[in-house]
Each structure stands twice: as structure tokens, then as C-alpha cells.
Amino acid sequence: MTKILHTEQAPAAIGPYVQGVDLGSMVLTSGQIPVNPLTGDVAEDIAAQTRQSLDNVKAVVEASGLCVADIVKMTVFVKDLNDFGAVNEVYGTFFDEHNAPYPARSCVEVARLPKDVKIEIEAIAVRK
Ligand SMILES: C=C(N)C(=O)O
């Protein structure tokens, strides 16, 4: 049975979607934009935006009872691929901090993102 995931630790959906779904063996998050769930604010710089998107992904994954180490695939959407290095620095640190292996990943540049943010990240996690 598919369960809808909901947490106050990640921003509410800004459209007709849910924060994530739990299929039992697998959890899929919606793309997480870097909105601070407590304040609604979006930081200016790409490093802070990357960290916030990752924290939001983590919150949705944890709402399922899984953790960062259970993430097997991430997709990263960036507005400007010139930010690739800055994104990677924060991204690598995030997984290191959680003693989690780096998952598979795709990273693509897109024309525009909701709320005109610089990054959006989605995840797939597996329940072993
Ligand atoms: C932010 C999103 N994930 C969306 O608009 O679909």
C-alpha cells in the first residue's frame, strides 16, 4: 500500500503533489527546493540552498523511518551548472556527515525552477 509522507521538517508542497511517497520497499521524495520549513525563507547563495534542499530531502526520507544511508539515487536540478563545484562540496559533506555512502546521482541544468531557486533535489531510498 502506498503511504503519503508528511513532515513539518520539510516545506509543504507548493502545488498538487505530496512531499513523498512510501511504497513499502522504496521511498520517493518530491523534488525539494531550498525553502526553510520554519521560516519560509530561501537563502541567496548556492551553498546554503544546496544544504537546505538536502536537509529537506533528509526530513522527508526520515518521515518514512528510513535515513540518509538508505538513499540509493538522487537527482539534482541546478539553474546554473557553473555552480557544480559548490554543489558538490556541500553534497559530499552532507553524506560524509551522516556516515552514508554516496548514492547514484544525476545532475542536470534546467532553465528555471519553482520560486526561481537555484537548486532542487529529489531522492529514492530503499527499505532493506
Ligand atoms: C517543487 C516541486 N517539487 C514541484 O513543484 O513539483
Side-chain angles (χ1 to χ4, degrees):
M1 194 177 71
T2 303
K3 276 195 256 174
I4 304 301
L5 297 172
H6 175 74
T7 176
E8 301 294 324
Q9 310 306 312
I14 58 167
Y17 62 93
V18 295
Q19 291 172 317
V21 290
D22 185 343
L23 307 182
S25 60
M26 189 181 289
V27 166
L28 300 104
T29 77
S30 288
Q32 296 299 311
I33 56 174
V35 173
N36 181 313
L38 302 178
T39 63
D41 292 343
V42 176
E44 191 51 44
D45 68 287
I46 186 63
Q49 288 202 14
T50 302
R51 182 69 203 205
Q52 185 68 63
S53 285
L54 288 165
D55 286 342
N56 294 344
V57 166
K58 172 178 177 281
V60 177
V61 168
E62 287 182 349
S64 73
L66 297 186
C67 65
V68 171
D70 297 312
I71 296 173
V72 295
K73 173 76 199 290
M74 299 280 255
T75 305
V76 178
F77 306 94
V78 289
K79 176 79 176 63
D80 183 352
L81 209 42
N82 290 315
D83 289 334
F84 191 64
V87 169
N88 280 337
E89 198 171 315
V90 176
Y91 185 96
T93 301
F94 176 83
F95 282 94
D96 294 345
E97 273 174 16
H98 293 92
N99 293 316
Y102 300 151
R105 191 184 85 176
S106 303
C107 181
V108 293
E109 182 182 272
V110 295
R112 210 171 161 203
L113 288 162
K115 288 188 177 278
D116 282 321
V117 297
K118 295 175 176 169
I119 189 164
E120 177 173 328
I121 304 176
E122 64 185 23
I124 299 172
V126 168
R127 185 170 281 114
K128 294 159 193 123

